[in-house]
Amino acid sequence: MIYTLPNIAEIIGADTKVAAENGIEHLLIDSRKIVFPQQSLFFAISGPRRNGHDFIGEVYERGVRNFVVAKTFASGNFPGACFLAVENVLLALQQLAAFHRQKFNIPVIGITGSNGKTIVKEWLYQLLRADHTIVRSPRSYNSQVGVPLSVWQMDTQYTLAIFEAGISTENEMVRLAEIIQPTLGVLTNIADAHSEGFTGNRHKAVEKAKLFRNAAAIVFGRDTLTGVIDPDGKDKTLFQNEALFFSWSREKTATLGIVQEETNNGRTIITGNYEDKSVSITVPFTDRISINNCITCWTVLLAMGYDGQTISERMLRLEPVDMRMQLKKGINNCYILNDSYSNDLASLDLALDYLQQQAGSEPTVLILSDILQSGQPEEILYHTIAATLRNRGINRLIGIGQAISRQSPLFVWDSLSASFYPSTEFFLQQAGAHVFSGEYILLKGARIFAFEKISHWLEQKVHQTVMEIDLTAMIHNLKAYQAQLQPSTRVMAMVKAFSYGSGSMEVARILQFHKVDYLAVAYADEGVELRKAGISLPIMVMNVDEAGFDALVSYNLEPEIYSFPVCIAFHGYLSQQGLNGFPVHIKFNTGMNRLGFEVAEAEALAVLIKVQQTMAVRSVFSHLVASESAEHDGFTQTQVNLFETACARLREGIGYDFIKHIANSAAIHRNPAYQFDMVRLGIGLYGVDSGEGQSVALETVATLRSTIAQVRKVSAGETVGYGRKGKIEKDSLIATVRIGYADGFSRRLSNGAGKMFVAGHLVPVTGNVCMDMTMIDITGLPDLKEGEPVEIFGKNLPVQLVAEWAGTIPYEIMTGISQRVKRVYVEE
């Protein structure tokens, strides 16, 4: 459905008189995700740190001419643009989506809860797609912004909609309910997750239940709601009088009573009682969370009237949902983005966003299978895909499948190289004809096309120890710290030392995408690599010498000036090059006693800078020595006082202002008064809170994993490893793990000092850590076999604990992971 601008102006109550009849098909909230500018309407939504109106110039330059803005926005200097002025831009987006929803009289499933929303949504899609053409929330689009964008996808081709909704505080669900208007509601569970905006679980449950106030039927699991909310009992008044309730429970009376669960060979047989009859399903999962989500889906199908045989057949065919896109190093300096989460137009758009975000200026390749069960005529479907690829500037397309091959004439234009194959097997047979080099390759295939075979062929062959970097967790941590800053306070992200072992280029790209203000590296060559990778953010180089001056200037890198010899040498270089006003960062020593000018040298430094004119002071900073420790708060205050004195003297001497920064990760939340103009976010970004007491809700970013190479029985009295250090006191089961000190697993963790996490248990290291292997004692865990995964540090075994065992700090553990350990990047 296409809306005209006059239509939209009337719907959202915009004051602007609109004469143009422009057709709007796409709603935008992100200046980085423009594909069809002429048919797009940009909503300038403002948040706690970003004002959407600040990006209107950028969006306009990229071809968008239609905007929804606040009434206070001055809309001059944009020839040909149309501005719809409203009181509240976010509310206008929600009003437009709610109006759009009212145009359709189809079943709509609305899902909310503390956990499991996305899994249940995706499994319902798998279970119901044989009978319906389904529109659903892309990935986890369940917020105040994500829900209206999801609902905007509704069109006449769809016969069923499935949307999820998440909230963070009271009164938010009322808006989402008006947009989704579910006919059937699903409450997955109520748990402690996402509780910050509520007084307790009861408050949270009542707020979430507002999504279903007009739903005809409501599905819920009774066990997790006990003592919290009673939907078909005392809380029945929260819903319409005619609402039907479908519950499941292991413990209490319910529509579907679970009687027995039996696990065998990776499957679980679930037996229940429904309408006084014994019913059962078999699902291909054994963990408790998956089984709970399966039962919820089972109950939904019962509520929709499906018969037992159909339910049984479909539940057995459920496939795991991998909600993360993985970026891996590939052959010939390529990167492989494997997105097996889903294969439809909405998920393709999201995956292409991530592909281009990571690729920067590097060439891009899309390997795409047929899109199945889209509900659209084949030619229209692939015409839409072709238009998307053309607008995004994708360089190469490899189409796999009968349908996309039939539509190959749609993919002919000068800037695209396209080839087509009837099957994955046929492509792999011919794969030698394709030379992949220095490209970013997106694999987007329906499961039946088995694109994992292509992924395996393209991946760089390395040993089985990998470090998984969760980019979604990293951005969560960034936002967690940003939430503690004043809106005007900038963020400098530290990406030195290979981004604390996480991979500088990949981390820098996602930080640039999320608009941090500055990056900092240790040496010029690190900055050069980032520039070559397409990073355009300002970059501060913290350790400079004369050998790197040319690289600084050639790649627009901003040096830290910490002494008069460095200052004079860089001035001499700039003078030779005829350069003036080159940006630099001045460091003062306030107590670290490592690098930096003394505070007493500020006046002399100011005179030198003012006379020379070759350098312009972009920022002034210092390092806090012990901001993480309450014991040293007095010394921290002394450092800040010295810093302020140095800044004042330098400012008076050079005659202009500059950015001031002294706060590191720990100081951001322990000492908020020391934020000044910018903060430097280092190890906190990577999920390690160095402050005393956990003050920031951080997520684990880096997980180091390996696998068991061999398992053997070792008798009492024998020894394990070099030097016979691992003395076996009783008959034991010893596993050899594919990691050693050459990978960064310290020898200080030998002989029981360190542990690893295997099959839900911590097990000790036995014997000395070897160069490439480490032995662990798995006695009591007899079912472990070769190939079993082992966590070295991560969500189950915090890196802080490993550092404590090794007698060091998390910084050393993370930065010490060898480059031969493959980094795998994942994003939800």
Side-chain angles (χ1 to χ4, degrees):
M1 298 181 68
I2 299 176
Y3 290 80
T4 65
L5 283 175
N7 294 154
I8 294 173
E10 183 177 356
I11 293 166
I12 65 177
D15 290 345
T16 313
K17 302 288 186 187
V18 180
E21 293 289 330
N22 299 26
I24 298 299
E25 299 181 50
H26 307 281
L27 306 185
L28 287 175
I29 60 158
D30 194 327
S31 62
R32 303 159 296 189
K33 299 181 178 181
I34 299 170
V35 181
F36 299 99
Q38 296 301 321
Q39 295 84 40
S40 296
L41 177 62
F42 180 76
F43 285 76
I45 295 173
S46 297
R49 291 191 56 81
R50 303 289 181 190
N51 187 332
H53 300 85
D54 295 338
F55 300 97
I56 286 176
E58 176 185 339
V59 174
Y60 179 85
E61 288 297 319
R62 297 184 62 185
V64 176
R65 293 295 179 267
N66 305 306
F67 303 87
V68 177
V69 299
K71 290 183 178 181
T72 54
F73 177 70
S75 56
N77 301 319
F78 296 100
C82 177
F83 292 91
L84 306 184
V86 296
E87 291 289 347
N88 185 314
V89 177
L90 174 59
L91 182 59
L93 172 66
Q94 294 171 337
Q95 288 172 332
L96 179 58
F99 180 90
H100 183 66
R101 164 67 181 89
Q102 291 173 351
K103 296 288 185 181
F104 303 96
N105 185 26
I106 62 172
V108 174
I109 300 175
I111 306 171
T112 192
S114 296
N115 301 295
K117 298 183 290 293
T118 302
I119 297 294
V120 169
K121 178 199 68 185
E122 291 301 318
W123 279 349
L124 287 176
Y125 172 75
Q126 292 181 26
L127 293 165
L128 299 171
R129 64 188 174 188
D131 306 316
H132 293 278
T133 302
I134 302 173
V135 58
R136 68 195 194 281
S137 307
R139 295 192 175 268
S140 299
Y141 271 40
N142 57 29
S143 67
Q144 295 291 303
V145 172
V147 167
L149 295 180
S150 299
V151 170
W152 183 255
Q153 298 176 107
M154 295 182 76
D155 207 339
T156 53
Q157 65 181 296
Y158 297 112
T159 60
L160 175 68
I162 309 175
F163 300 123
E164 58 177 289
I167 56 174
S168 57
T169 190
E170 62 181 353
N171 299 323
E172 288 185 343
M173 191 60 86
V174 174
R175 292 185 180 182
L176 301 187
E178 292 173 351
I179 299 167
I180 296 175
Q181 301 171 36
T183 58
L184 187 153
V186 180
L187 181 59
T188 58
N189 54 55
I190 295 296
D192 292 333
H194 316 299
S195 296
E196 294 85 355
F198 305 96
T199 58
N201 282 347
R202 166 70 181 175
H203 183 203
K204 179 165 51 177
V206 170
E207 289 296 318
K208 287 181 179 291
K210 291 178 180 178
L211 177 62
F212 313 132
R213 59 184 180 183
N214 294 315
I218 299 157
V219 171
F220 61 96
R222 193 180 299 281
D223 296 343
T224 67
L225 305 183
T226 301
V228 177
I229 190 171
D230 186 11
D232 55 353
K234 65 179 182 179
D235 292 311
K236 198 171 183 178
T237 55
L238 295 173
F239 313 102
Q240 65 168 328
N241 292 334
E242 297 81 12
L244 301 176
F245 296 91
F246 294 83
S247 59
W248 70 266
S249 175
R250 295 183 176 91
E251 305 165 0
K252 302 179 182 300
T253 302
T255 312
L256 174 63
I258 303 304
V259 177
Q260 184 178 5
E261 297 160 72
E262 182 180 352
T263 298
N264 188 26
N265 293 326
R267 294 180 173 181
T268 302
I269 302 171
I270 309 171
T271 304
N273 187 287
Y274 176 65
E275 293 184 340
D276 296 325
K277 296 179 182 178
S278 179
V279 291
S280 70
I281 59 171
T282 301
V283 297
F285 309 100
T286 59
D287 64 286
R288 184 77 162 186
I289 294 174
S290 294
I291 291 171
N292 287 350
N293 289 331
C294 286
I295 297 172
T296 297
C297 292
W298 184 11
T299 310
V300 171
L301 295 186
L302 291 171
M304 295 179 71
Y306 278 82
D307 63 85
Q309 182 176 347
T310 300
I311 294 174
S312 296
E313 291 172 355
R314 295 185 183 180
M315 295 297 292
L316 183 58
R317 295 198 300 266
L318 280 178
E319 297 175 340
V321 177
D322 186 354
M323 295 183 292
R324 304 179 303 175
M325 291 181 278
Q326 295 188 341
L327 183 70
K328 299 180 179 180
K329 186 76 173 178
I331 59 174
N332 302 328
N333 204 33
C334 289
Y335 280 86
I336 316 303
L337 174 58
N338 189 4
D339 181 21
S340 58
Y341 178 74
S342 55
N343 191 34
D344 52 36
L345 285 177
S347 67
L348 176 61
D349 265 342
L350 290 172
L352 288 170
D353 282 340
Y354 185 54
L355 174 71
Q356 294 187 304
Q357 166 195 323
Q358 285 295 329
S361 59
E362 300 298 323
T364 52
V365 180
L366 170 62
I367 303 180
L368 179 68
S369 80
D370 289 348
I371 292 182
L372 307 176
Q373 297 176 312
S374 72
Q376 297 188 44
E378 185 178 291
E379 185 173 353
I380 293 176
L381 171 66
Y382 290 102
H383 184 276
T384 301
I385 293 172
T388 297
L389 301 189
R390 183 192 288 264
N391 278 275
R392 287 183 176 273
I394 299 299
N395 302 108
R396 184 145 62 122
L397 169 68
I398 296 171
I400 296 178
Q402 300 287 343
I404 195 171
S405 297
R406 283 193 296 269
Q407 300 302 325
S408 59
L410 296 173
F411 299 91
V412 179
W413 58 87
D414 290 343
S415 60
L416 180 74
S417 171
S419 54
F420 300 87
Y421 301 86
S423 67
T424 299
E425 290 72 21
F426 195 82
F427 166 73
L428 289 172
Q429 291 170 8
Q430 305 294 318
H434 286 273
V435 179
F436 295 94
S437 179
E439 297 166 298
Y440 280 72
I441 305 167
L442 170 62
L443 301 180
K444 201 76 174 74
R447 288 189 182 273
I448 65 169
F449 286 89
F451 270 21
E452 63 271 12
K453 297 178 182 178
I454 302 176
S455 178
H456 180 72
W457 177 72
L458 287 171
E459 284 178 27
Q460 191 177 58
K461 303 304 184 288
V462 294
H463 74 85
Q464 296 182 38
T465 299
V466 299
M467 182 127 93
E468 181 182 282
I469 310 301
D470 188 336
L471 297 177
T472 301
M474 179 176 290
I475 297 309
H476 165 88
N477 296 341
L478 172 65
K479 292 180 178 178
Y481 280 104
Q482 286 178 328
Q484 303 195 34
L485 302 178
Q486 296 297 319
S488 60
T489 304
R490 306 180 208 190
V491 174
M492 174 182 281
M494 312 303 287
V495 293
K496 61 181 181 176
F498 198 53
S499 289
Y500 293 75
S502 299
S504 298
M505 182 175 66
E506 295 79 10
V507 169
R509 280 181 172 149
I510 198 166
L511 293 174
Q512 177 169 274
F513 185 77
H514 286 274
K515 297 187 180 297
V516 300
D517 302 283
Y518 253 94
L519 299 177
V521 297
Y523 295 99
D525 55 357
E526 294 177 313
V528 169
E529 290 303 311
L530 293 181
R531 287 286 184 248
K532 288 180 177 178
I535 301 301
S536 58
L537 284 172
I539 299 174
M540 181 177 78
V541 179
M542 304 186 75
N543 300 290
V544 299
D545 54 35
E546 294 187 45
F549 287 170
D550 190 59
L552 294 173
V553 172
S554 298
Y555 290 93
N556 192 28
L557 306 173
E558 303 173 8
E560 169 190 317
I561 304 298
Y562 55 82
S563 71
F564 283 112
V566 171
C567 183
I568 292 168
F570 193 50
H571 163 68
Y573 173 83
L574 294 175
S575 297
Q576 286 180 347
Q577 302 296 316
L579 297 173
N580 288 322
F582 194 87
V584 298
H585 302 261
I586 303 298
K587 181 177 183 179
F588 281 102
N589 173 39
T590 59
M592 178 72 79
N593 293 318
R594 186 174 60 183
L595 294 175
F597 292 96
E598 300 302 330
V599 175
E601 297 173 327
E603 290 93 340
L605 176 61
V607 170
L608 193 62
I609 292 172
K610 189 169 184 178
V611 169
Q612 289 173 341
Q613 294 292 307
T614 52
M615 289 173 270
V617 178
R618 181 64 59 86
S619 86
V620 175
F621 71 104
S622 186
H623 268 93
L624 294 176
V625 174
S627 61
E628 70 279 0
S629 173
E631 177 186 355
H632 299 295
D633 280 350
F635 187 78
T636 298
Q637 182 63 60
T638 298
Q639 283 193 273
V640 172
N641 294 341
L642 288 170
F643 177 65
E644 290 180 313
T645 299
C647 288
R649 291 176 182 175
L650 189 68
R651 164 67 181 84
E652 183 178 356
I654 63 176
Y656 56 86
D657 285 321
F658 39 74
I659 299 168
K660 297 182 286 292
H661 51 109
I662 195 171
N664 53 13
S665 297
I668 290 173
H669 66 267
R670 287 205 68 250
N671 308 106
Y674 306 154
Q675 290 179 10
F676 291 99
D677 306 307
M678 185 161 67
V679 296
R680 297 190 304 275
L681 184 53
I683 200 164
L685 186 64
Y686 304 91
V688 178
D689 186 354
S690 58
E692 292 179 346
Q694 183 76 14
S695 300
V696 183
L698 301 180
E699 294 184 357
T700 300
V701 171
T703 298
L704 181 61
R705 292 193 180 94
S706 190
T707 58
I708 292 176
Q710 191 175 28
V711 176
R712 65 164 22 90
K713 294 179 181 179
V714 180
S715 300
E718 293 190 62
T719 61
V720 174
Y722 286 117
R724 305 199 69 196
K725 298 294 185 182
K727 297 177 181 177
I728 302 302
E729 303 292 336
K730 62 180 181 179
D731 291 352
S732 300
L733 199 60
I734 304 299
T736 300
V737 182
R738 294 179 172 96
I739 190 171
Y741 58 77
D743 301 297
F745 190 71
S746 174
R747 290 189 84 245
R748 290 172 288 183
L749 297 167
S750 300
N751 300 307
K755 296 180 176 65
M756 296 184 186
F757 187 83
V758 188
H761 295 80
L762 280 178
V763 297
V765 172
T766 185
N768 281 329
V769 173
C770 306
M771 180 181 288
D772 307 302
M773 297 285 176
T774 299
M775 286 68 74
I776 55 176
D777 188 339
I778 59 170
T779 304
L781 304 175
D783 294 332
L784 295 184
K785 299 179 177 61
E786 295 175 5
E788 194 82 24
V790 179
E791 183 177 303
I792 315 304
F793 62 73
K795 294 181 180 178
N796 299 296
L797 178 51
V799 68
Q800 297 96 315
L801 187 55
V802 176
E804 181 181 326
W805 292 336
T808 184
I809 56 177
Y811 298 76
E812 181 180 349
I813 299 294
M814 294 178 67
T815 58
I817 303 305
S818 167
Q819 292 300 297
R820 80 176 189 179
V821 173
K822 180 170 67 172
R823 271 66 172 175
V824 176
Y825 301 89
V826 298
E827 185 174 24
E828 293 186 0

